[in-house]
Amino acid sequence: MQGEEIYEVFAARAEGAEPVKNVGAVRARSSREAAIFAHKLYDEWRWKEMFVVPRRALIHVIRPA
Amino acid sequence: MAVTEEALLARIARGDLVEGPEYATQPYIDALKRTLIVSADTELISAPSYLRAARDAPSINSYISATGIIQDELGHAHIAYRMLRDLGVDTDALVYERDPKDFKHPYAFDVPLDSWTELVVANAFYDRAGFLLLGDIFRHTTYGPWKRALAKVDREENFHLGHGEKWMRTLSQDPKGKTDLQHAVDWMFLLTIEWFGLPDALKRHKEQIGYGLKGYTNDQLRQQWMSTAVPLCQEVGLTVPARHDAEHNEWVITCPFPARFDERQKSPGMTCWCDGSSAGPRTASLSARSSAGTRNWGDTSMRELDAGVVRAALYEILDPEYPVSIVDLGLIRGVEVKGSTVRVRMTYTSMGCPCTEMIQDDIRERLRALPGVGRVEIEVVWEPWTREHISAEGLKQLRGVGVV
């Protein structure tokens, strides 16, 4: 849809010492909307921290062989 | 540079995941898309189907539980559609512009769920099928992005089927509730049996063999489903047309099947597999639901539960850091089976191992999927671990990835 872009979702679980990891992606028209979608959609665990990052902002430095 | 079929199969044989279309061949991508579309459509179509029946919820609390499940299903559909989008598929066209007849989902979802009883049986039957099918993909698929995304699905589908089981046990306490359950089970049992698709011998999409998109065949998954669904029905006093054949160690269906289904009466009759040619366009999905990997994970599902079965299942669990089984790595220090309780004694490579919780979650998930397992107890014994504990096979695999 018009004006939408993909945001990658990163989060760390509330329990344990697991680091932040990529848990999925959402499509949204703004970072605020992306945050809401991510919060609603990725609710399988309790998280202590969550980020959304526009996919275009990710720069691939090393790719798998 | 284009990936050759040979290079792709070598990657899969090494146990390396396919991380995107740039690492795969067109036949692999086509097979993956077909499997993803069935998964996405099935999850999506379950939402309105469940919502219709949720209106019959006996209380506001149970209605909220049902809508929670429906929200999960939409989340699961989103995962599969997002995989498709990343493969270059126009998912808006797929969801909003496609002819409804072209949606690929099991025939069962063409039959409306009319009551709370049918909804909870759907949770216990359909979501169990989803749990097994997607759990198999979660554990075995060679497509990395899907494997990671399915952690959410695996966890939530398990909750859904638990919801169904709890309600079936509750409703069966009351004579009227039990009668209604029996009516629901009478038509829903066979429709879920059919959910797993054509028998292996009739499958058409043979090109997926070798890609390891999933680990078990349709027939193996159908057996796994019966191995827990039938005992559940027996426990609550319901009759289902299936029994365990001890001699051949398999579950057999004791009525004419495949059968044609009367949608209006919700009753199975006679005839053939819904293979897309005989039972209306919606069931064409069943032929697309094929796919079987060539990995031999060893079908432990039908054997009597013992320590050997448990070990074989544990063998499938890989260390998150290195692509080596936790058994070969020497982490498992003992397995005991008492009744339906499985007790695993294990250690880790170091006190600071960052993956302890992940490995334990994997163990619980895998063992709970075994027939007859009720409780999984894990004791971390913190026994010393050295290189000497790695098996010869484990060492070989670690050398293969340049670790030792």
Side-chain angles (χ1 to χ4, degrees):
Chain A
M1 280 172 208
Q2 284 290 310
E4 289 189 327
E5 67 173 315
I6 309 284
Y7 290 77
E8 294 291 341
V9 182
F10 298 86
R13 282 179 56 185
E15 290 82 18
E18 196 180 276
V20 170
K21 64 176 186 181
N22 183 220
V23 296
V26 292
R27 191 170 55 158
R29 283 171 296 192
S30 68
S31 56
R32 182 178 165 78
E33 196 177 82
I36 293 166
F37 289 166
H39 195 275
K40 287 301 280 183
L41 195 57
Y42 295 99
D43 61 346
E44 63 269 34
W45 299 107
R46 284 203 309 120
W47 310 107
K48 69 177 167 216
E49 201 165 19
M50 181 181 269
F51 302 86
V52 287
V53 182
R55 187 176 277 178
R56 64 183 154 78
L58 297 179
I59 298 163
H60 219 145
V61 179
I62 299 173
R63 291 181 181 276
Chain B
M1 195 175 68
V3 175
T4 63
E5 196 66 16
E6 193 181 18
L8 170 67
L9 293 175
R11 167 183 285 273
I12 291 168
R14 283 198 306 274
D16 289 351
L17 296 174
V18 174
E19 286 298 343
E22 64 270 38
Y23 303 99
T25 58
Q26 197 57 45
Y28 179 98
I29 295 167
D30 290 344
L32 175 64
K33 282 182 186 170
R34 212 170 16 249
T35 315
L36 278 166
I37 287 175
V38 175
S39 177
D41 288 357
T42 302
E43 299 283 6
L44 181 64
I45 209 71
S46 72
S49 180
Y50 286 2
L51 186 61
R52 173 190 164 94
R55 293 181 192 138
D56 184 43
S59 68
I60 189 72
N61 282 352
S62 47
Y63 182 76
I64 290 169
S65 302
T67 51
I69 289 172
I70 292 161
Q71 189 195 340
D72 288 347
E73 304 293 6
L74 289 172
H76 303 170
H78 173 266
I79 285 171
Y81 286 125
R82 128 172 117 74
M83 297 289 135
L84 284 162
R85 196 170 55 228
D86 288 347
L87 289 168
V89 175
D90 180 350
T91 50
D92 288 334
L94 213 53
V95 174
Y96 300 112
E97 295 163 24
R98 204 167 15 149
D99 186 331
K101 290 193 184 72
D102 293 336
F103 273 71
K104 310 282 189 197
H105 56 76
Y107 176 73
F109 277 127
D110 277 344
V111 185
L113 299 171
D114 289 321
S115 65
W116 182 253
T117 303
E118 289 185 346
L119 175 62
V120 301
V121 175
N123 287 153
F125 282 9
Y126 300 174
D127 288 303
R128 182 184 310 271
F131 175 68
L132 287 168
L133 284 157
L134 291 169
D136 174 43
I137 292 169
F138 173 47
R139 274 172 275 278
H140 298 147
T141 191
T142 51
Y143 190 59
W146 202 11
K147 187 182 186 72
R148 287 189 290 277
L150 283 173
K152 169 183 166 72
V153 180
D154 196 63
R155 186 173 158 77
E156 290 173 347
E157 293 291 3
N158 198 23
F159 159 69
H160 300 178
L161 79 89
H163 178 262
E165 287 182 353
K166 188 198 83 172
W167 269 100
M168 281 179 73
R169 290 192 177 101
T170 304
L171 294 175
S172 68
Q173 303 295 314
D174 166 67
K176 165 79 169 67
K178 194 166 171 178
T179 307
D180 291 346
L181 271 177
Q182 185 64 58
H183 286 316
V185 163
D186 282 346
W187 69 270
M188 295 173 77
F189 185 83
L190 285 183
L191 257 55
T192 324
I193 295 280
E194 195 217 29
W195 189 305
F196 293 92
L198 293 168
D200 295 346
L202 298 179
K203 275 198 301 108
R204 288 191 298 216
H205 287 289
K206 305 283 187 190
E207 81 280 2
Q208 287 186 336
I209 288 177
Y211 291 153
L213 289 174
K214 54 188 267 192
Y216 291 118
T217 67
N218 293 354
D219 287 341
Q220 286 173 328
L221 288 163
R222 204 182 336 262
Q223 285 285 320
Q224 288 179 19
W225 184 85
M226 281 195 278
S227 75
T228 52
V230 178
L232 167 71
C233 292
Q234 289 168 340
E235 177 203 318
V236 297
L238 300 171
T239 308
V240 286
R243 66 175 175 81
H244 188 246
D245 176 352
E247 190 185 338
H248 299 97
N249 206 13
E250 64 175 6
W251 293 85
V252 291
I253 301 159
T254 55
C255 70
F257 185 79
R260 188 176 292 285
F261 182 75
D262 182 335
E263 287 182 29
R264 283 165 307 166
Q265 299 297 320
K266 287 189 170 174
S267 66
M270 299 280 290
T271 71
C272 55
W273 278 97
C274 299
D275 63 357
S277 59
S278 60
R282 286 164 290 195
T283 53
S285 61
L286 290 168
S287 57
R289 183 175 267 284
S290 69
S291 92
T294 54
R295 291 183 179 195
N296 178 14
W297 294 94
D299 184 4
T300 54
S301 60
M302 291 304 115
R303 285 168 55 191
E304 197 168 314
L305 186 65
D306 61 22
V309 170
V310 173
R311 269 189 179 278
L314 290 173
Y315 204 85
E316 294 175 16
I317 300 169
L318 303 184
D319 180 85
E321 281 188 278
Y322 306 116
V324 176
S325 152
I326 58 172
V327 176
D328 277 330
L329 207 52
L331 302 186
I332 302 302
R333 297 301 166 87
V335 171
E336 268 179 48
V337 177
K338 277 189 184 163
S340 64
T341 300
V342 176
R343 190 171 173 79
V344 177
R345 294 173 68 246
M346 67 176 300
T347 191
Y348 288 102
T349 52
S350 74
M351 294 287 277
C353 175
C355 307
T356 55
E357 200 178 331
M358 198 188 301
I359 293 175
Q360 289 190 31
D361 283 350
D362 286 351
I363 291 174
R364 282 195 194 91
E365 279 171 14
R366 180 63 192 94
L367 296 186
R368 280 179 188 152
L370 285 175
V373 171
R375 186 178 167 82
V376 177
E377 294 176 2
I378 301 173
E379 184 191 359
V380 180
V381 292
W382 295 117
E383 289 174 356
W385 177 91
T386 66
R387 207 187 128 106
E388 272 64 49
H389 292 99
I390 307 174
S391 71
E393 178 60 28
L395 279 172
K396 194 172 129 195
Q397 288 174 4
L398 286 170
R399 273 189 213 106
V401 293
V403 175
V404 292

